[in-house]
Amino acid sequence: MGGYGDVELIAKDGKRLDGRLADELRPITIEVGVLPAARGSCRMTWGLNIAEVAVYGPMEAHPRKIQRPDRAVLDVRYNMAPFSTSDRIRPGFNRRSREISKVTAEALESIVMVEMFPRSKIRVEIEILCAEAGTRCCGITAAAVALADAGIPMKDMLVSVAAGKINDVVVLDLDKAEDNYGQADLPVGIMPNTEEIAFLQMDGDLSPEEFDLAMKYNMKAAKEIHKLQMSALKSKYNGGVQ
Amino acid sequence: MVEIVPRLLKDQLLKLAEANNRIDGRGKNQRRDVNLEVNVLTNAEGSAKVVWGGTIVYAGVKFEIRTPWPDRPTEGSLMCGAELRPVANLKYEPGPPSAESIELGRVVDRGIRESGCINMEELCIVPGEKVWGVMIDIHVMSDKGNIFDACALAGIAALKTAIVPAERFDVGEDHPLPVSKIPIMASYRKVGGRFVYDPCEEEELGGDERVHITLGDDGHVHSLQKGLKGTFSTSEFAEIFANANEQAKELREMVEEKVN
C-alpha cells in the first residue's frame, strides 16, 4: 500500500474517482477458447486489466522429481508482458511474479480434482497484457475458467476478487489510483458454491469490523463474477452468444 | 518431439505436395486469413494484435530516455525483442530465452531496423545527453505456425501507432513517432520437396528448411534468414523473392488501412 491516506479518492456524494459506489465492480468481460494452440483458454478484461490464460495437459510431469504418485501437480506461471505497465518490465525472473504464481497454483490445486491424474502435471500460463491494479485476481479468475474450458474436472469454480480501504472507507475492487494511495487491499479466492476460501492475501491496515465488511463485499462480488464465468463457458456451446 | 510423428507426417506431406495440395487444403502461395487490430493495449504507447490463422501475437511499444552512445551523440535507438513463452504452445518450456526465441526477435528486429523506417536522428532530445530508446516487445500467445510473419506484422503496426510520451517524461508535447516505411516479412518452408508460403503448424513439424525475407516499400530486401538443416537453389530463391513481393504488397496495404 502506498499509505497516502490523505489523497482524496471519494467525493462528497460517496462516489469514487471513476464514478463507482463503494461496493461496485469495474466492468468485466470473459471469453473462452481464445487461444487455438491451447487445450483450454480464457481472455478476461477487468476494468483496464487484460489477462489471457492457456491451459495445457494433463501430461506426464517433468522433471520427474515434481511427480506425485497420488495426484497431478499444477505448474502455474503468472507473467506480466513487458508492455503491460507504464514503465516497461524487463522480461525474466521476478520475485513478485514468482510469489503470485505460487499462491495461484496452491489456490487452483484446492479446486482441481488432482487425484484423478496421478504423476501428471497441468500447465496453467497466465499472461497479463495490460495491468491496472488487481491483476492477480483477474489471473486466478481467468485461470479457473480456462481449466474448465480444458475439461479438467473441478470441485467448484474459483473467483478471485479484492476489497480494500481508501480514505478510511471500505470499498470493493480497487483501481490503480486507489491501490496506489489506498490503506488496505484484501484479495481472496472464493469457491462460489460452497463459499470456501482457497486463496487469501492482505496488506495494509483493517479493523476487525472493516475486515468483515470487506469480506462481505468480496463474497457478494464473487457471486456476480461467477455468473459471468458460467455464461462465458456455456456460450462456447451456444454459438458464442452470452 | 519423438521422431516417429514427423516421419509419418513427412510421408503424408510429400504425397500432398505431389498432388499440388497442402495439409489444410491451401494453394502453394495462399495465405491463411489475417486480422490486424491496432491500439489494443492501453499501457503501451503503440500496440497491435495479429490473428494469423490460429497464430496470435501482440506487440507493444515502450519508450525510455537514455544517454546516447558516445560515437553517435545525436541518435536514439530501436530495440525489438520477441518472447516465446510457454503460453504459446505445448512445445515451449519455461526458462531463459531459447535460441529460437532469440533468432525470432533478431530477424524481426533486422527487418524493421534496416528498412530505415525510423530516422534515429529524430529520436534525439538533447545531443550528447538525452535520446529516446524505442522498444518493441512482441508476445506470442498462440503458435499455430509462421510466428515470424505474424510477429513482424504486429511489430511494424505497433510502431506505426506509437505516440512518443514526451509529456510524461517532461520533455515537450506528446507526438506520433515518425515511421516512414512499412517493412513486411514473408516466410517460406520446404514441405514435401517444394517451398510453400505461410507454413502451418503441421508443415513446420514435418517440413525442412525455412527462408524468411523482409521487403521494404520499394521492393528492396532488408533482411534474409535461412533456418534449419537443408539447402535450396538460386532458382528456388528467385521464385520466393517474386512471390514475397506480392505478399508484402497486400499486407502493407492492410497496415496502411488500419493505422490511418
Side-chain angles (χ1 to χ4, degrees):
Chain A
M1 295 282 90
Y4 305 102
D6 51 348
V7 176
E8 194 168 303
L9 297 165
I10 301 185
K12 291 200 175 61
D13 61 359
K15 285 201 174 151
R16 295 148 74 178
L17 292 180
D18 59 2
R20 282 186 292 155
L21 296 170
D23 61 348
E24 222 175 311
L25 283 164
R26 288 173 283 180
I28 290 173
T29 66
I30 305 177
E31 269 175 274
V32 300
V34 292
L35 301 174
R39 173 153 178 199
S41 61
C42 175
R43 174 187 168 90
M44 181 166 189
T45 67
W46 186 326
L48 292 174
N49 291 313
I50 304 174
E52 291 190 2
V53 181
V55 169
Y56 294 94
M59 63 185 110
E60 195 180 355
H62 280 299
R64 213 163 159 183
K65 66 175 182 192
I66 68 166
Q67 282 186 8
R68 292 291 169 267
D70 56 341
R71 64 176 180 95
V73 290
L74 263 76
D75 183 17
V76 177
R77 260 168 301 280
Y78 162 100
N79 179 60
M80 289 173 89
F83 44 71
S84 62
T85 48
S86 61
D87 291 328
R88 178 176 180 265
I89 300 173
R90 275 174 71 96
F93 181 86
N94 153 343
R95 284 167 60 92
R96 177 180 172 276
S97 60
R98 267 294 176 97
E99 187 207 347
I100 294 176
S101 302
K102 176 181 180 290
V103 293
T104 302
E106 290 156 354
L108 294 172
E109 281 188 358
S110 319
I111 57 155
V112 170
M113 294 182 171
V114 284
E115 60 285 352
M116 290 181 71
F117 308 102
R119 293 184 191 283
S120 66
K121 85 169 166 189
I122 299 165
R123 249 172 61 185
V124 180
E125 310 287 348
I126 303 170
E127 295 288 334
I128 306 297
L129 299 169
C130 193
E132 206 66 33
T135 58
R136 76 189 68 191
C137 294
C138 188
I140 292 170
T141 305
V145 177
L147 281 163
D149 182 41
I152 309 280
M154 290 149 73
K155 293 176 210 151
D156 197 352
M157 241 318 149
L158 183 62
V159 182
S160 181
V161 58
K165 185 167 74 165
I166 54 172
N167 295 164
D168 295 323
V169 178
V170 174
V171 296
L172 180 69
D173 188 20
L174 274 62
D175 69 14
K176 185 74 186 244
E178 292 171 340
D179 189 47
N180 283 349
Y181 301 110
Q183 297 153 295
D185 189 22
L186 174 71
V188 294
I190 296 167
M191 295 163 70
N193 288 304
T194 63
E195 299 192 354
E196 283 172 281
I197 289 162
F199 162 71
L200 176 68
Q201 291 188 312
M202 186 265 172
D203 68 332
D205 175 278
L206 285 177
S207 71
E209 295 75 30
E210 287 167 339
F211 175 83
D212 286 344
L213 184 57
M215 280 307 257
K216 206 180 114 207
Y217 283 170
N218 278 338
M219 201 58 82
K220 184 172 149 266
K223 307 255 166 173
E224 253 176 74
I225 298 167
H226 180 230
K227 284 191 194 130
L228 298 174
Q229 289 178 312
M230 296 316 282
S231 88
L233 283 163
K234 282 179 189 159
S235 77
K236 188 180 174 180
Y237 304 97
N238 191 25
V241 184
Q242 292 200 14
Chain B
M1 189 63 67
V2 187
E3 281 296 313
I4 191 152
V5 176
R7 177 72 64 81
L8 293 169
L9 186 60
K10 255 192 160 87
D11 292 346
Q12 193 196 353
L13 291 171
L14 184 63
K15 278 193 201 114
L16 284 162
E18 280 162 359
N20 197 24
N21 202 350
R22 289 173 75 171
I23 197 159
D24 53 7
R26 277 184 293 156
K28 187 167 155 267
N29 290 321
Q30 192 185 340
R31 187 175 47 229
R32 290 171 290 173
D33 284 340
V34 176
N35 185 50
L36 169 68
E37 273 178 87
V38 294
N39 294 322
V40 290
L41 303 166
T42 42
N43 280 343
E45 270 73 58
S47 61
K49 177 184 186 181
V50 169
V51 179
W52 189 305
T55 291
I56 300 178
V57 164
Y58 284 90
V61 179
K62 297 299 297 178
F63 289 82
E64 63 172 14
I65 289 184
R66 40 168 292 260
T67 47
W69 311 119
D71 57 336
R72 297 188 172 179
T74 58
E75 290 186 16
S77 63
L78 174 71
M79 190 213 79
C80 177
E83 275 202 273
L84 276 178
R85 296 190 46 79
V87 66
N89 198 293
L90 191 59
K91 67 187 175 189
Y92 299 124
E93 299 281 336
S98 61
E100 286 76 24
S101 103
I102 292 168
E103 182 193 26
L104 170 66
R106 287 180 55 89
V107 173
V108 173
D109 183 293
R110 285 203 288 274
I112 292 175
R113 177 189 307 278
E114 300 301 332
S115 73
C117 65
I118 290 193
N119 178 355
M120 297 297 170
E121 303 257 344
E122 289 185 53
L123 298 176
C124 180
I125 305 164
V126 181
E129 280 179 36
K130 274 187 193 171
V131 294
W132 288 110
V134 184
M135 287 161 299
I136 310 172
D137 283 291
I138 299 172
H139 222 62
V140 182
M141 293 300 294
S142 172
D143 178 0
K144 292 294 259 179
N146 197 15
I147 46 177
F148 276 79
D149 289 359
C151 287
L153 188 67
I156 189 65
L159 205 57
K160 285 289 274 186
T161 60
I163 305 290
V164 182
E167 283 162 28
R168 184 149 59 85
F169 288 91
D170 224 2
V171 288
E173 277 177 33
D174 287 1
H175 57 277
L177 176 71
V179 182
S180 60
K181 297 191 175 79
I182 303 175
I184 299 287
M185 192 189 294
S187 298
Y188 298 80
R189 187 83 174 214
K190 179 90 65 85
V191 179
R194 55 160 191 177
F195 275 103
V196 296
Y197 170 60
D198 181 27
C200 66
E201 193 181 21
E202 291 83 2
E203 289 173 324
E204 289 188 344
L205 187 61
D208 299 302
E209 73 270 21
R210 50 181 163 84
V211 176
H212 311 283
I213 172 165
T214 307
L215 295 171
D217 297 26
D218 45 13
H220 287 201
V221 201
H222 293 303
S223 90
L224 286 170
Q225 183 90 343
K226 183 242 156 185
L228 305 179
K229 193 180 85 162
T231 59
F232 57 91
S233 67
T234 46
S235 66
E236 278 176 319
F237 183 73
E239 202 188 313
I240 288 173
F241 197 4
N243 183 258
N245 250 307
E246 288 171 36
Q247 307 291 357
K249 224 170 273 170
E250 284 178 33
L251 290 170
R252 187 169 297 118
E253 277 168 21
M254 183 188 294
V255 176
E256 267 163 2
E257 191 191 312
K258 292 288 158 123
V259 300
N260 292 330

